């Protein structure tokens, strides 16, 4: 959370742009097919795409290192050719060692690890290299070490951890059914905190068009995004701090409507742990109901908040009803838990 704090304002702004665009498209004021809509939407998306840069800046500031060092570490993970080769499945190697093909745009943990190690290395070199060549040698050696270390070690470690978590959760779902969905809902905020939720993309993108649909990731994500926003909105009613009231309400609306939960998660919930627990409680109830009713996604989600709900419509029409029931249970449980656990005194300090 500390790494994202310096850029939180712009993440909120990007989320609110998506909220605005959803309503403009819904009421046919600015259709999604127009270039104006696409430019605004892509600009908002860019803020999240370049998350490693913002995280690198935040890590460097926290470690009292030149911000450019942290940003450079984040930029390594976003090298255009690297991303293009990953997306195209083009094999790469460094001195004969195969590189793990994984795109790190929009991820959290790889950027944190890379930036932290890079900043530590730069500080170590900066203190030991003679002043006359320090500004030349320190960044050169840092980059020469961090490029292969990021691609061969740090990035893959984060991705592999995420892959194992994905496999474990899917095994748990197959074993426990609705209990597994509830457990995943509880864990989802923590997975998003580390960026490991991206590891589920290959799974749900393949399953969503398969017979029977996708049964746990997308509905859990929908319930979580809405619950995170509801918790923030409840907080905005209870707090007396005007600045926090604005922060809570804006991040809440962004999460509920646009499904952009990062501002709510990193800017509010992780700093108010009792409310994070309230969201987890709401997730558990909502996801348990979804699991019991076998709510499944049958199409790619058009959004990640309330406008994600049409993805769960099935041929019988019951999918929509079951989804609304599961989401409603999650909202009520989250609102009640937040109202009880948040006393209005634990405010987020800027």
């Amino acid at each position: 959370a500390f790494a994202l704090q310096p850029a939180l304002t712009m993440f909120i702004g990007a989320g609110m742009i998506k909220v605005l665009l959803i309503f403009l498209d819904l009421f046919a004021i600015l259709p999604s097919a127009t270039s104006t809509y696409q430019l605004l939407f892509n600009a908002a998306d860019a803020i999240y795409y370049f998350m490693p840069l913002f995280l690198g800046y935040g890590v460097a500031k926290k470690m009292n290192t030149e911000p450019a060092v942290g940003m450079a570490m984040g930029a390594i993970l976003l090298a255009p050719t690297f991303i293009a080769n990953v997306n195209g499945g083009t094999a790469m190697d460094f001195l004969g060692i195969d590189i793990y093909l994984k795109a790190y745009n929009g991820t959290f943990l790889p950027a944190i690890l890379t930036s932290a190690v890079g900043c530590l290395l730069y500080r170590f070199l900066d203190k030991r290299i003679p002043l006359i060549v320090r500004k030349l040698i320190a960044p050169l050696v840092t980059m020469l070490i961090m490029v292969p270390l990021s691609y061969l070690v740090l990035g893959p470690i984060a991705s592999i951890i995420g892959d194992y978590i994905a496999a474990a959760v899917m095994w748990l779902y197959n074993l426990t059914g609705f209990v597994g969905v509830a457990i995943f809902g509880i864990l989802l905020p923590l997975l998003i905190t580390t960026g490991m939720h991206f590891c589920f993309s290959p799974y749900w993108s393949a399953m969503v068009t398969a017979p029977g649909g996708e049964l746990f990731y997308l509905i859990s994500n929908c319930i979580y995004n809405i619950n995170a926003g509801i918790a923030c909105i409840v907080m905005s009613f209870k707090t007396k701090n005007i600045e926090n009231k604005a922060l809570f309400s804006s991040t809440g609306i962004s999460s509920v409507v646009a499904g952009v939960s990062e501002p709510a998660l990193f800017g509010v919930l992780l700093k108010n742990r009792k409310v994070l627990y309230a969201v987890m409680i709401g997730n558990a109830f909502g996801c348990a109901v979804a699991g019991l009713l076998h709510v499944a996604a049958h199409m790619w989600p058009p959004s990640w908040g309330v406008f994600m709900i049409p993805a769960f419509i099935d041929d019988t029409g019951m999918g929509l009803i079951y989804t609304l029931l599961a989401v409603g249970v999650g909202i009520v449980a989250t609102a009640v838990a937040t109202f009880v656990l948040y006393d209005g005194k634990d405010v987020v300090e800027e």
Side-chain angles (χ1 to χ4, degrees):
F2 70 84
L4 194 58
Q5 184 62 37
L8 180 61
T9 300
M10 295 315 300
F11 276 86
I12 294 174
M16 294 307 294
I17 283 179
K18 287 192 172 185
V19 172
L20 178 62
L21 288 175
I22 287 172
F23 280 110
L24 291 177
D25 180 49
L26 181 65
F27 294 106
I29 298 174
L30 184 64
S32 59
T34 64
S35 59
T36 300
Y37 181 101
Q38 294 298 326
L39 284 172
L40 290 171
F41 187 89
N42 290 335
D45 254 1
I47 303 299
Y48 295 93
Y49 181 95
F50 290 103
M51 182 181 288
L53 286 177
F54 293 105
L55 292 172
Y57 176 86
V59 169
K61 292 284 287 184
K62 186 68 175 181
M63 298 178 67
N64 295 318
T65 308
E66 292 184 23
V69 175
M71 295 179 70
M73 298 305 102
I76 289 173
L77 301 177
L78 300 173
T81 300
F82 173 74
I83 297 293
N85 286 343
V86 170
N87 292 336
T90 303
M92 293 176 284
D93 68 85
F94 186 87
L95 298 178
I97 304 174
D98 290 337
I99 290 177
Y100 186 70
L101 296 182
K102 178 71 174 182
Y104 300 113
N105 51 287
T107 58
F108 186 86
L109 185 58
I112 292 292
L113 289 176
T114 301
S115 300
V117 173
C119 288
L120 286 173
L121 175 60
Y122 182 85
R123 285 169 55 182
F124 175 83
L125 296 171
D126 195 52
K127 292 179 180 179
R128 288 162 176 80
I129 295 175
L131 181 60
I132 191 171
V133 293
R134 182 178 302 167
K135 295 301 180 183
L136 175 65
I137 301 300
L140 171 63
V141 175
T142 298
M143 290 294 292
L144 286 176
I145 293 175
M146 289 306 302
V147 169
L149 189 62
S150 299
Y151 292 144
L152 296 174
V153 181
L154 300 178
I157 284 177
S159 297
I160 291 171
I161 291 174
D163 290 341
Y164 275 109
I165 290 177
V169 172
M170 284 184 276
W171 171 82
L172 183 63
Y173 172 78
N174 292 329
L175 180 68
T176 62
F178 81 92
V179 176
V181 183
I183 292 174
F184 184 78
I186 294 172
L187 295 177
L188 187 54
L190 305 181
L191 296 177
I192 292 176
T193 299
T194 60
M196 291 180 183
H197 60 301
F198 289 103
C199 297
F200 292 90
S201 296
Y203 157 76
W204 70 256
S205 60
M207 292 298 297
V208 73
T209 55
E214 194 282 312
L215 289 163
F216 79 87
Y217 179 79
L218 291 176
I219 185 59
S220 298
N221 200 292
C222 178
I223 290 171
Y224 155 71
N225 285 331
I226 294 173
N227 286 349
I230 291 298
C232 291
I233 291 171
V234 172
M235 291 175 70
S236 72
F237 284 113
K238 292 199 70 175
T239 185
K240 296 181 180 179
N241 184 294
I242 300 300
E243 292 184 1
N244 286 320
K245 190 180 288 290
L247 174 65
F248 297 162
S249 60
S250 61
T251 54
I253 293 172
S254 175
S255 189
V256 171
V257 179
V260 180
S261 68
E262 283 82 359
L265 179 61
F266 295 115
V268 179
L269 301 180
L270 289 176
K271 297 183 177 183
N272 295 269
R273 298 298 174 85
K274 291 182 180 180
V275 182
L276 177 60
Y277 300 150
V279 173
M280 291 178 172
I281 291 171
N283 288 355
F285 279 95
C287 291
V289 172
L292 280 170
L293 298 176
H294 302 289
V295 174
H298 301 278
M299 59 177 284
W300 280 65
S303 180
W304 292 93
V306 293
F307 292 98
M308 185 182 183
I309 291 176
F312 304 98
I313 297 175
D314 59 9
D315 294 336
T316 67
M318 294 304 296
L320 176 60
I321 295 175
Y322 291 157
T323 301
L324 293 174
L325 179 60
V327 169
V329 168
I331 289 174
V332 172
T334 299
V336 172
T338 302
F339 188 84
V340 172
L341 294 176
Y342 179 64
D343 58 10
K345 296 180 181 179
D346 299 323
V347 295
V348 175
E349 299 293 343
E350 295 295 336

